[in-house]
């Protein structure tokens, strides 16, 4: 695979943003609507999420985090506080907003690089073009387009977690251009991002390389909300070229006013550069693409609108995942099945209880590691406000 050099990539990315800006900007109207004159800025909005779990490990000698203990130690049940998020959004002008998101539950760990999640400024020229700068989640797949509080399963997919470690997903520091427009009769969304690629809350980038990514989404069918997404990225880490690619499908089928089926299918592949650089320099190959990660998941979610005064909706989902973090050299694929039952007590996931299981299976089990077969029972409660 041929890549641009770092300087050429930077120039190419800046050129794309300039062209997008030149074609998408629309001059402001000389006449301002009377109601807009009466809007006072800044306008503040505060939102939050509480999420807690009770976990029970159902496999012998495997703790609730999936780590095997040959000596029989380890915790097999645990109450866990996953999220206590607070988000502040300040609309400081018609086109400009500043967003900060913190997860106070991360104070239980070393908070230095964890608590602050979103911290960005977004300027919107029009629906076709908006710039985001700061710490945010660059679009590189379906899961990056919605928050954890409306997720259809227990947690993010294993794929999302692993690609976050690679710098393509999760919270990153950089710049992004996004927008939506019509390509004839087809709705189209895009995102162009350049990030440091070494995670959130970092003082500096850990090298001079950057990671450039793009996402394109085509609306194929409005009735069934069928969307096709393409993701691609190139970058440089410690003078080594890396890449990532992905494709995804999503759909929402409404059988009647009460029954609906939401489906997601996503596949990705990328250079596993953290694994490559973990190898002793004398032993690692010249090409980091000898270390590749590949994953796919399918998530159907069946929903029934109860609309009772004490129960809003009932959901049933079952996600299947396949991921191999090093399929060329030392392949040990992991398959995960996560069936979940959800009860929604307030609309828009305002209050929800989920019960389910997580079944992990590896091709080879390795003692005293997390690469070990595991069965986990989960009860999760959440409230968003």
């Amino acid at each position: 695979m041929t890549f641009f050099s770092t300087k050429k990539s930077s120039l190419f990315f800046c050129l794309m943003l300039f062209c997008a800006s030149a074609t998408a900007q629309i001059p402001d109207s000389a006449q301002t609507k009377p109601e807009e004159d009466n809007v006072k800025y800044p306008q503040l909005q505060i939102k939050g999420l509480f999420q807690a779990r009770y976990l029970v490990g159902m496999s012998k000698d495997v703790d609730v985090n999936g780590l095997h203990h040959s000596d029989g130690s380890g915790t097999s049940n645990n109450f866990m506080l996953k999220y206590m998020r607070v988000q502040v959004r300040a609309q400081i002008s018609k086109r400009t907003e500043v967003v900060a998101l913190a997860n106070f539950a991360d104070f239980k760990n070393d908070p230095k690089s964890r608590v602050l999640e979103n911290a960005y400024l977004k300027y919107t020229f029009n629906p076709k073009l908006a710039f985001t700068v700061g710490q945010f989640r660059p679009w590189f797949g379906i899961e990056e387009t919605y928050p954890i509080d409306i997720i259809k399963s227990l947690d993010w997919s294993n794929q999302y977690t692993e690609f976050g470690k690679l710098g393509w997903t999760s919270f990153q520091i950089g710049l992004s251009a996004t927008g939506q427009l019509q390509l004839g009769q087809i709705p189209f969304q895009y995102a162009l991002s350049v990030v440091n690629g070494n995670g959130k809350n970092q003082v500096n980038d850990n090298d001079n390389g950057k990671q450039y990514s793009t996402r394109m989404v085509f609306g194929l069918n409005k009735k069934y909300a069928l969307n096709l997404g393409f993701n691609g990225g190139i970058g440089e880490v410690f003078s080594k070229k890396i890449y990532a690619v992905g494709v995804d499908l999503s759909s929402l089928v409404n059988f009647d006013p009460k029954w609906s089926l939401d489906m997601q299918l996503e596949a990705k592949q990328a250079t596993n550069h953290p694994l490559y650089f973990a190898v002793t320099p004398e032993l690692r190959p010249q090409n980091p693409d000898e270390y590749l990660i590949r994953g796919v998941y399918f998530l159907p979610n069946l929903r029934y609108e109860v609309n009772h005064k004490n129960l809003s909706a009932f959901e049933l989902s079952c996600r299947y995942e396949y991921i191999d973090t090093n399929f060329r050299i030392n392949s040990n694929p992991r398959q995960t099945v996560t069936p979940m039952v959800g009860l929604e007590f307030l609309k828009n996931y305002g209050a929800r209880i989920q019960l389910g299981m997580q079944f992990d299976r590896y091709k080879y089990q390795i003692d005293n590691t997390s690469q070990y077969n595991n069965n986990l029972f989960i009860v999760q409660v959440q409230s968003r406000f």
Side-chain angles (χ1 to χ4, degrees), residues 210-223:
K210 295 292 180 287
Q211 294 179 214
Y212 306 84
S213 64
T214 183
R215 174 169 172 78
M216 298 178 291
V217 182
F218 300 87
L220 303 183
N221 187 292
K222 184 177 180 180
K223 179 179 179 181

Side-chain angles (χ1 to χ4, degrees), residues 179-210:
Q180 54 187 350
L181 57 151
Q182 288 285 132
L183 297 180
Q185 299 298 316
I186 300 177
F188 173 73
Q189 292 180 297
Y190 74 91
L192 299 167
S193 304
V194 54
V195 297
N196 288 335
N198 60 328
K200 61 184 179 180
N201 301 331
Q202 303 297 320
V203 177
N204 293 307
D205 195 358
N206 55 0
D207 70 339
N208 287 322
K210 295 292 180 287

Side-chain angles (χ1 to χ4, degrees), residues 297-350:
Y297 77 84
F298 175 59
L299 172 59
N301 182 74
L302 183 66
R303 180 179 174 89
Y304 177 72
E305 301 287 347
V306 179
N307 293 326
H308 187 269
K309 63 179 180 179
N310 294 322
L311 182 62
S312 178
F314 168 85
E315 290 188 333
L316 178 64
S317 70
C318 185
R319 181 170 61 197
Y320 169 78
E321 305 180 63
Y322 176 96
I323 191 163
D324 195 337
T325 58
N326 191 17
F327 68 85
R328 276 190 174 174
I329 294 180
N330 189 23
S331 177
N332 190 16
R334 172 187 179 184
Q335 298 185 73
T336 304
V337 178
T338 313
M340 299 291 294
V341 175
L343 300 174
E344 181 181 324
F345 297 97
L346 296 176
K347 290 185 178 296
N348 299 318
Y349 298 104

Side-chain angles (χ1 to χ4, degrees), residues 41-62:
Y41 296 102
Q43 295 181 324
L44 295 178
Q45 183 185 61
I46 299 177
K47 293 184 178 181
L49 169 69
F50 169 83
Q51 189 181 91
R53 298 173 178 172
Y54 177 65
L55 309 173
V56 180
M58 309 295 288
S59 299
K60 183 181 179 181
D61 299 333
V62 180

